Amino acid sequence: MPTSLPVPIQFELPEGWRAEPPDAVGAPGAAFVARHPQPDAGFTANITIDGEYRPDPATLPEIARESVEHLRASGTSVEVVGGREIGSVDAPGLTQTLAVSALVGGVHRELVQSQVYLSMLDVDDPRKRAVIRLILTATASQHPYVLGDFQGFVRTVRPDSGPAA
């Protein structure tokens, strides 16, 4: 069953990408999944979104390390190949790039994940912090071609303030 995000967000999908039900594509923990129209060697690049409330004092780098450890605990080989803090004091974020070697659908795959972590504070209660994670997963050969789509997608993500007045 797909999860819901702790805070509502708005975004625009890159041209050609299709939203898919998370359960139907094997991503039951995701709140949202979109897939690229052109598979590469039988693997379809995808963008997933998930998130959770994080009232603890964990920093975004610590939360990103938790994600890596979670992947490793599933038996996946993971190497962090890049990362940096982004955003501002009021809207902090972090990017992380992972080289992932995994068994997907019975086939060994060399994948790249580009992850973006966005920290969002509740406007009514700043002690309530949500962290939204945006993830692009693609084959190592297709990643350079879909990364621009993902970067454009990330630029469109913003809190959803509800219906326009």
Side-chain angles (χ1 to χ4, degrees), residues 21-88:
D23 286 340
V25 294
F32 179 83
V33 175
R35 294 172 44 137
H36 190 266
Q38 190 66 42
D40 178 48
F43 183 85
T44 303
N46 59 80
I47 294 171
T48 59
I49 304 173
D50 63 20
E52 62 184 337
Y53 274 113
R54 291 298 301 243
D56 63 323
T59 64
L60 289 179
E62 290 168 339
I63 294 168
R65 280 192 293 279
E66 288 173 8
S67 292
V68 169
E69 291 310 314
H70 181 72
L71 272 173
R72 286 183 178 142
S74 71
T76 302
S77 173
V78 181
E79 179 185 349
V80 179
V81 294
R84 65 184 177 94
E85 292 189 49
I86 59 171
S88 65

